[in-house]
Amino acid sequence: MADASFGASAGVPADPTRVGPVRASAVAGAARGRHLPVAPLACLRFGLRDVPLQWVLERLPTPRRNPFALGYLAVLAGTTVFAQAASPDLVHQLQTMSSTDGHHLLHTPLRSLLMSGLWVAGPAWMPYLWAFAFTVAPLERRVGSLRAAGVFAAGHVVGTLLSQSVVAIAVATGKVGPSMLDELDIGVSYGVLASLGAMAGLLPPRGRCLAVGGALLMVGHQVVSSTDLVTGIGHPTALLVGMALWGVLRRTPPQRPGGGRGRVARWLPRWAPRRFALPDQSA
């Protein structure tokens, strides 16, 4: 009699078996006073499994989830289009003013460090889209926009300063010519590599080994195959900067990817039901 009165007071039908197995299990769980987990429908009507689709939707970059990564990509896209459409002389002048070569770092260090990160090294922007999608964006989802921007800036600044210091020493000792102090040095590769190194420390052990191993192979191949002293010093330095921040970032409370299930449900059409009760697995 107590169970029947509890079900009636909670608005549960007297005969739960008449409303289907899923609803019946939900009623049975409610009668035992237990809270059943719920999940968004997420297009099950179209024959797609809920969990993989939810996992993908929660990790797609959006302006709300990844304001830093997408905003930075928009800036890089704008400067890339400008570099292709504007006068070559004007583009060369602006990029020279933005360069973090030895002479500009000595006279205008803040301007050079800031503006050098507004250009891509080369005419192609699409590779940086994928680089940000697999390094900066997941790091931002995990630690937040401010910390992700801090990691990016740390890799950019430390990689630039150390590589140009090595160039200055090489010029002073006569290993390379003085023209190395004026070579154009722009791009965001240091920040991307620092983000990759930092993100590797937040992965499970197997994923961490794969990420670090792939990054070391990529940087090592570039160092061996390229004769550019600046990138040969700056790229491994930026990767190590990101790895050095593992301890700090691991103490950061994890952010909820995509703000939880509620945001996924808001992407569904109005006619789609937002939630459904899962069957009782312990029955």
Side-chain angles (χ1 to χ4, degrees), residues 207-246:
R208 185 182 313 143
C209 292
L210 290 176
V212 173
L216 291 176
L217 286 176
M218 178 180 63
V219 172
H221 176 267
Q222 189 175 37
V223 170
V224 172
S225 61
S226 176
T227 58
D228 188 0
L229 178 61
V230 175
T231 57
I233 300 296
H235 283 180
T237 299
L239 181 64
L240 292 176
V241 167
M243 296 172 65
L245 297 173
W246 284 1

Side-chain angles (χ1 to χ4, degrees), residues 3 12 35 68 70 79 101 113 122 131 161 168 183 223-224 235 243 245 253 264 272 281-282:
D3 291 341
V12 178
H35 177 69
F68 172 68
L70 294 183
T79 56
D101 56 71
L113 288 171
L161 293 180
E183 285 196 1
V223 170
V224 172
H235 283 180
M243 296 172 65
L245 297 173
V264 177
Q281 301 296 333
S282 61

Side-chain angles (χ1 to χ4, degrees), residues 33 44 86 88 110 165:
L44 281 178
L110 294 180
S165 297

Side-chain angles (χ1 to χ4, degrees), residues 76-86:
L76 294 178
T79 56
T80 302
V81 171
F82 174 80
Q84 295 177 352

Side-chain angles (χ1 to χ4, degrees), residues 167-168 170-183 229:
V167 170
V171 171
T173 56
K175 301 295 183 180
V176 297
S179 61
M180 282 287 295
L181 294 174
D182 294 313
E183 285 196 1
L229 178 61

Side-chain angles (χ1 to χ4, degrees), residues 55-72:
W55 189 90
V56 171
L57 290 178
E58 288 180 345
R59 282 156 181 81
L60 284 177
T62 65
R64 190 171 183 178
R65 281 196 285 256
N66 296 107
F68 172 68
L70 294 183
Y72 210 133

